[in-house]
Amino acid sequence: MESIIERIEREIAAWTPDAGSEETGIVRATGDGIVEIDGLSNVAMSEMVLFDATFDRTLAEALKDSSPIYGLILNLEEDGVRAVILGDAAKVHEGMLVRRLGRLLSISVDESLIGRVVSPLGEPVDGKGATGAKEVRPIEREAYGIIDRSSVNTPLHTGIKAVDAMIPIGRGQRELIIGDRGTGKTSIAIDTILNQKSEPAATRPICIYVAIGQKESKTAKIVAELAERGAMEYTVVVTAPASAPAALQFLAPFTGATIGEYFMEQGKDALVIYDDLSKQAVAYRQMSLLLRRPPGREAYPGDIFYLHSRLLERAAKLSKEKGGGSLTALPIIETQESDVSAYIPTNVISITDGQIYLEADLFNKGQRPAINVGISVSRVGSAAQTKAMKKVSGKIKLELAQFRELEAFMQFSSDLDADTKKQIDAGRRMTEVLNQGRGVPLPFEMETAIIFAATNGYLDTVSAIDIKTVEAKLQDYLFREAAGVLMAIKESKEVREESEKTLREKLDAFVARHLTPAM
């Protein structure tokens, strides 16, 4: 009986000049989503190929199939090449024809993607028909150099008081969100997308949410929430669910970066969220081991750092000569047992411009978001804050870090002096002021007014337990009675002398009406 290898050799020998040219090959072996290919001697790294069961037709005819199966070349070897299958691996078998497409892995992008849910190959998966996108771009490209960039100086407001006050994010920055499973990492990212609704339409960033290895039900819930809140009007969702092949989970972040770069190069601002890069690293490790690449630390391949660096370096704030657009990246990394010194977390921390560290212990105590202010940092800092937020937030971060130390010390001492007790009470009040539930991002001007009230003594008579109730009343009061001063802060991006005077008068009236006990 003729073996598979003998049949392949016979078919290679019997090829016509067209089929036996350097533009076609044949599948020698397949398994676990990886194929070994003979005959593609001129193929390039990261080039797309097409699997075709029919020998007697042209490439153009093969591409007309309703569901073509593509592959991505990832290994160039002496006796052939190896590729990953981007689709249903069960349909690819030994002896199948492989056709070169002559282009690197690319997707179609333009404004028609806004409001859509697409796969890592740019194909719609939301049941709304074709996207109609025209511009074809490779999903991997070299990041912009230093000369083409400018400094990050424009804030990206998240609507989360703790982040905007203490760990400001700038447009063009890469800020890591890191923490254990179930500590609210995705919530920060989704609230940031929702908050862009309060930004002026002309400067509102286009948001790209990339779901890597997530449950499809979770992604569907997020898409439904974004649609219900009107955020899908400026959002693109790229999904590679847990059920997708490892190759698609590996490619999804690059697709998100490519879509974001398209808008950045139009002179617009874009925000891309990678949820999460831990799962991308696991998918890449799986592919690399199957491709017979040598494993390194924790069995990850040696180029795992390069994988994330070449992705995250694409975030940039472009110079005026390049249009002045920006691409902000919020990568998410999941830690195990709060171990930020593990391989992948330390890699991504070293690539990004700061991190928001969410601590499981703080989350369990009811702090939302559960940010550890001692470890969290933004290396762009106050350069990405408005003058208004810079003025009112001042020393909050330092005071909270001191409060955390005092709180730990308090466990060993029941007898505290008056000054220490006062400092601890102030820290508890500020912690409650910065507490914020999921799905309720605040406009920047309201954040400024509330933090102004907290740092200027207007809430000093309120116990920490009652802060949430009083803050809700204060928000309603400011919306009704101080709309003018809020608008002035929003437009000027600072608390000017006249605005501060009016704000103080309104806060005095609020204290007299709601916080002063009746005689």
Side-chain angles (χ1 to χ4, degrees):
M1 184 177 174
E2 185 182 43
S3 69
I4 290 289
I5 298 299
E6 288 171 340
R7 182 168 66 83
I8 290 171
E9 289 173 347
R10 177 173 54 77
E11 287 176 341
I12 290 174
W15 275 352
T16 62
D18 175 60
S21 71
E22 293 174 337
E23 303 305 305
T24 55
I26 197 163
V27 175
R28 181 172 66 202
T30 179
D32 297 313
I34 306 293
V35 290
E36 297 176 25
I37 302 170
D38 279 335
L40 294 180
S41 55
N42 277 355
V43 77
M45 187 74 168
S46 295
E47 184 176 335
M48 287 181 77
V49 293
L50 177 71
F51 296 101
D52 188 13
T54 310
F55 282 66
D56 56 349
R57 60 177 175 176
T58 64
L59 176 61
E61 290 171 336
L63 286 169
K64 289 177 183 176
D65 280 351
S66 57
S67 55
I69 303 171
Y70 296 108
L72 177 66
I73 302 296
L74 285 182
N75 270 27
L76 303 179
E77 300 168 358
E78 284 186 21
D79 58 345
V81 297
R82 291 177 193 259
V84 293
I85 302 167
L86 305 176
D88 187 357
K91 294 181 179 177
V92 177
H93 53 80
E94 289 88 345
M96 206 171 192
L97 189 68
V98 186
R99 301 174 184 272
R100 280 186 66 190
L101 295 184
R103 60 185 172 93
L104 300 182
L105 184 60
S106 307
I107 61 165
S108 299
V109 295
D110 62 21
E111 281 81 0
S112 65
L113 290 179
I114 296 175
R116 302 300 302 271
V117 183
V118 298
S119 74
L121 299 179
E123 299 162 343
V125 293
D126 53 7
K128 297 179 181 177
T131 61
K134 303 291 185 211
E135 187 169 334
V136 177
R137 289 182 173 228
I139 69 166
E140 285 222 50
R141 55 161 288 176
E142 193 174 342
Y144 280 96
I146 294 172
I147 302 300
D148 296 326
R149 300 177 183 235
S150 66
S151 60
V152 174
N153 53 23
T154 308
L156 179 91
H157 292 126
T158 65
I160 301 166
K161 289 171 289 185
V163 174
D164 291 339
M166 299 187 293
I167 317 152
I169 299 172
R171 300 191 181 195
Q173 189 176 345
R174 299 153 300 177
E175 183 76 10
L176 172 63
I177 303 172
I178 184 169
D180 282 4
R181 184 179 183 184
T183 50
K185 302 183 297 297
T186 301
S187 296
I188 288 181
I190 298 304
D191 283 356
T192 302
I193 294 177
L194 293 172
N195 188 60
Q196 304 316 308
K197 185 87 174 170
S198 64
E199 294 289 317
T203 59
R204 181 182 298 152
I206 301 298
C207 302
I208 301 105
Y209 175 74
V210 184
I212 311 155
Q214 306 291 339
K215 289 189 295 186
E216 290 185 78
S217 59
K218 178 186 174 182
T219 306
K221 202 175 291 184
I222 288 171
V223 172
E225 182 182 1
L226 294 176
E228 186 182 337
R229 302 280 291 271
M232 283 302 286
E233 297 168 8
Y234 52 85
T235 303
V236 183
V237 176
V238 179
T239 178
S243 58
L248 295 182
Q249 295 182 43
F250 150 68
L251 291 172
F254 292 100
T255 300
T258 302
I259 296 170
E261 278 179 337
Y262 169 81
F263 293 105
M264 174 176 72
E265 290 169 4
Q266 309 295 314
K268 299 177 182 177
D269 294 313
L271 164 69
V272 60
I273 293 156
Y274 305 115
D275 189 8
D276 65 64
L277 292 188
S278 306
K279 292 186 175 67
Q280 187 208 18
V282 168
Y284 188 60
R285 174 171 64 184
Q286 178 184 328
M287 281 171 39
S288 297
L289 292 172
L290 290 169
L291 287 164
R292 302 286 191 271
R293 294 180 180 177
R297 179 177 165 185
E298 294 179 27
Y300 287 104
D303 65 340
I304 191 74
F305 182 92
Y306 180 51
L307 170 75
H308 287 150
S309 65
R310 72 180 191 263
L311 170 70
L312 294 170
E313 282 295 333
R314 291 166 72 175
K317 166 79 171 168
L318 294 185
S319 62
K320 287 183 180 177
E321 293 74 19
K322 288 287 182 178
S326 72
L327 176 60
T328 309
L330 295 183
I332 294 175
I333 287 287
E334 184 179 299
T335 55
Q336 306 289 332
E337 296 294 328
S338 303
D339 184 11
V340 293
S341 64
Y343 189 30
I344 300 303
T346 50
N347 276 356
V348 182
I349 285 170
S350 67
I351 297 165
T352 50
D353 307 312
Q355 66 275 345
I356 298 170
Y357 176 57
L358 303 178
E359 194 173 321
D361 288 346
L362 294 176
F363 186 88
N364 294 334
K365 286 179 183 176
Q367 187 173 322
R368 304 287 189 275
I371 295 175
N372 181 320
V373 294
I375 298 178
S376 301
V377 65
S378 171
R379 296 189 187 103
V380 172
S382 59
Q385 265 183 321
T386 57
K387 290 181 180 178
M389 186 59 76
K390 203 183 300 185
K391 180 175 182 178
V392 301
S393 60
K395 299 176 182 177
I396 289 179
K397 190 172 182 184
L398 177 62
E399 289 171 359
L400 278 182
Q402 289 173 340
F403 161 67
R404 292 277 170 234
E405 288 194 15
L406 282 174
E407 195 179 33
F409 171 74
M410 199 177 73
Q411 296 173 19
F412 306 102
S413 175
S414 56
D415 188 21
L416 299 172
D417 62 85
D419 287 344
T420 304
K421 190 172 185 306
K422 185 179 178 183
Q423 193 172 354
I424 287 173
D425 288 342
R428 283 177 174 160
R429 269 197 307 275
M430 183 54 70
T431 299
E432 285 301 317
V433 167
L434 295 178
N435 253 3
Q436 193 169 340
R438 186 194 179 287
V440 284
L442 292 176
F444 144 75
E445 62 274 12
M446 180 58 75
E447 288 180 316
T448 303
I450 290 170
I451 293 172
F452 180 89
T455 54
N456 284 276
Y458 289 98
L459 303 178
D460 284 0
T461 59
V462 184
S463 67
I465 298 171
D466 297 326
I467 283 288
K468 280 291 120 195
T469 307
V470 172
E471 187 192 332
K473 289 180 182 177
L474 178 58
Q475 286 186 35
D476 289 341
Y477 175 81
L478 291 173
F479 270 126
R480 288 195 321 271
E481 307 291 334
V485 71
L486 291 178
M487 184 56 68
I489 293 171
K490 182 177 183 178
E491 290 176 352
S492 66
K493 300 286 190 287
E494 55 183 306
V495 183
R496 292 177 176 155
E497 191 175 333
E498 186 180 331
S499 297
E500 183 176 342
K501 182 182 176 185
T502 308
L503 185 56
R504 286 185 181 276
E505 289 172 359
K506 297 295 183 184
L507 290 171
D508 285 334
F510 175 80
V511 170
R513 187 184 305 179
H514 296 283
L515 303 183
T516 305
M519 298 298 291

